[in-house]
Amino acid sequence: MDSLHLYPEIAATELIARLAARLAVNPEEIALGSGSAEVVTQLIAAAAGEGDEVIFAWRSFEAYPRLVQIAGATPVPIALTSEGRHDLPAMAAAVTDRTKLILVCSPNNPTGTCVMKDELDSFLQTVPREVLVVIDEAYVHFNNGEGTADGLDFFRRYENVAVLHTFSKAYGLAGLRVGYAIAPEQITANLRRVALPFGVTALAQKAALVSLDAEAELRERVDYVISERSRVADALRDGGWSTFDSFGNFIWLRTGERTAFVHQQLWERGVLARAFIGEGIRVTVGNSEMNDVFLTAMRTLSSLREYDTTE
Ligand SMILES: *Cc1c(COP(=O)(O)O)cnc(C)c1O
């Protein structure tokens, strides 16, 4: 706080060195941004323009289609499977000679599902080497799934893979804006060239460094969210609601046509969740008191006559 009148260190050398050591990659393979949103914006803008295509699963992170359009490129959304998972074979089949970038979100926001190691391997074997595949792992800390793809492992094995991480989710620093890409050197060099000068503030750099020192506390927080996540999911299923196994810090309610109704009812009972009308509702896993408010609301909802809980 005492040195906020000074400009931040422009290259964020200390933070990059710490991240590189921790992830066992070269410092040159890391590019920081003002949130991973800035990094993905730059990756898309750098890779794709007029006449190019960017493939991503849908529904997924809301920013993807918008960022692709801002870059002047064509969004190619590929529907999730009925299990809310990336349909990697369909995404591979959608690759054309205009495809420049593919976004893979794992765990997927908002459905919470992950891509599996084996299926991602088969997928990457069919994707041309000139197409960059970006694995967005904003929620990686909450992923305790077995056999799921580890972005860094793929970054090490494929020359056309980049991975996105952020301090916004598990670390709880969303308001400070710091995220990063782990990508091949020629890509990070370009990202650094187009990055906003001093885009990662001194306070954000410092907070990220301090957070990296608080590993035990992070683990505790993540474990708590994971245990609450299973408690909430089990209670929902016991109540007859349909949800996928989530590996993020949220749960996806498959409310389909009843989404607007359920969302309104939750709102009236003090629960603010993210509704995608006609599809479902993403509910963030809070602390146990918050989750109880939500579960109580869902119980009263199940008993409402106009609502039939059988999907
Ligand atoms: C939150 C989120 C991001 C971006 O987060 P930042 O705060 O910009 O780091 C990126 N991808 C997904 C899937 C997210 O949910």
Side-chain angles (χ1 to χ4, degrees):
M1 293 300 286
D2 289 344
S3 55
L4 286 183
H5 59 292
L6 299 174
Y7 272 98
E9 212 232 304
I10 193 159
T13 323
E14 194 184 352
L15 178 54
I16 287 195
R18 281 287 300 278
L19 287 170
R22 179 195 202 80
L23 304 168
V25 299
N26 296 325
E28 293 74 29
E29 292 168 328
I30 295 181
L32 288 175
S34 173
S36 58
E38 187 201 356
V39 187
V40 74
T41 304
Q42 289 167 354
L43 278 170
I44 293 172
E50 200 71 40
D52 296 330
E53 295 173 349
V54 177
I55 298 173
F56 50 85
W58 197 250
R59 175 164 291 277
S60 188
F61 188 39
E62 291 160 88
Y64 296 157
R66 202 166 43 86
L67 293 176
V68 174
Q69 276 164 337
I70 291 169
T74 307
V76 181
I78 303 295
L80 296 170
T81 67
S82 56
E83 295 302 297
R85 310 186 63 252
H86 279 51
D87 189 342
L88 291 174
M91 289 171 76
V95 172
T96 70
D97 50 13
R98 290 184 301 277
T99 306
K100 291 285 155 35
L101 192 104
I102 302 173
L103 294 155
V104 173
C105 188
S106 182
N108 187 46
N109 177 4
T111 54
T113 55
C114 284
V115 298
M116 306 306 283
K117 186 175 187 300
D118 295 349
E119 62 177 357
L120 191 57
D121 253 323
S122 319
F123 174 73
L124 282 164
Q125 269 148 37
T126 70
V127 172
R129 287 291 165 268
E130 314 77 71
V131 177
L132 183 66
V133 177
V134 177
I135 308 172
D136 186 343
E137 292 190 328
Y139 298 96
V140 66
H141 293 89
F142 303 101
N143 177 11
N144 61 343
E146 269 172 40
T148 59
D150 167 9
L152 274 172
D153 168 43
F154 281 87
F155 164 73
R156 293 199 178 92
R157 290 192 291 117
Y158 292 89
E159 64 200 34
N160 59 331
V161 166
V163 181
L164 294 174
H165 284 178
T166 178
F167 283 91
S168 295
K169 308 288 158 74
Y171 288 99
L173 297 181
L176 280 176
R177 315 304 304 133
V178 51
Y180 59 94
I182 305 130
E185 269 185 59
Q186 64 277 23
I187 290 172
T188 50
N190 284 331
L191 286 175
R192 277 192 284 273
R193 239 167 246 143
V194 298
L196 184 73
F198 308 108
V200 181
T201 66
L203 193 57
Q205 291 182 34
K206 188 71 193 170
L209 280 165
V210 172
S211 294
L212 289 172
D213 286 332
E215 185 64 33
E217 199 182 322
L218 178 78
R219 201 57 255 166
E220 212 173 284
R221 182 188 299 175
V222 165
D223 288 346
Y224 177 76
V225 171
I226 290 176
S227 82
E228 280 294 301
R229 182 180 72 196
S230 9
R231 180 175 79 87
V232 173
D234 289 348
L236 286 171
R237 288 190 190 114
D238 287 348
W241 297 91
S242 165
T243 177
F244 305 126
D245 284 332
S246 172
F247 299 101
N249 63 343
F250 48 81
I251 282 174
W252 177 243
L253 278 176
R254 304 171 67 188
T255 41
E257 294 309 314
R258 302 150 180 136
T259 299
F261 172 75
V262 177
H263 184 237
Q264 178 63 26
Q265 295 295 320
L266 285 175
W267 168 259
E268 284 170 16
R269 289 165 176 75
V271 179
L272 176 59
R274 182 76 177 84
F276 299 94
I277 303 304
E279 296 174 55
I281 302 176
R282 185 193 62 207
V283 185
T284 299
V285 176
N287 62 32
S288 66
E289 298 90 88
M290 294 171 176
N291 298 333
D292 285 341
V293 171
F294 166 62
L295 288 174
T296 305
M298 292 303 280
R299 266 179 225 113
T300 52
L301 241 173
S302 309
S303 64
L304 290 180
R305 290 222 177 281
E306 70 245 61
Y307 192 79
D308 169 18
T309 59
T310 54
E311 258 286 1

